Amino acid sequence: MFDPKYQPVLMAFFMALFMSFLMSGVISAINIGIPENFLAIWFHAWWTAFVVAFPAVMVVSPLVRRATVKFIRKS
């Protein structure tokens, strides 16, 4: 198990992993349909998307957290 200090990195990793996987599959299917080699195409698209998504989530998530706080009503 990981130390709690790594929670933001693990959260970003899994968010990028799952979102890039799902979105690359959906976008690939929309753009090319489902040919015989769809899984190979999807895997390539997913890997490329993940390499971009993980650093992007690491950079953007603190900004999103701060922006979200501004939309929450204080009790």
Side-chain angles (χ1 to χ4, degrees):
M1 289 289 140
F2 291 93
D3 189 284
K5 70 181 178 184
Y6 296 113
Q7 189 271 336
V9 175
L10 285 170
M11 175 71 180
F13 176 83
F14 286 116
M15 181 65 71
L17 185 78
F18 293 123
M19 289 301 295
S20 63
F21 180 77
L22 292 171
M23 294 307 299
S24 63
V26 169
I27 298 301
S28 294
I30 289 170
N31 285 331
I32 63 167
I34 312 258
E36 277 188 32
N37 62 340
F38 179 75
L39 291 178
I41 293 167
W42 183 3
F43 182 77
H44 177 71
W46 166 69
W47 178 245
T48 305
F50 177 72
V51 169
V52 173
F54 181 52
V57 171
M58 290 294 295
V59 170
V60 172
S61 61
L63 303 171
V64 171
R65 272 189 221 103
R66 282 194 293 264
T68 303
V69 167
K70 294 181 185 218
F71 286 97
I72 302 300
R73 186 175 342 138
K74 295 182 181 172
S75 39

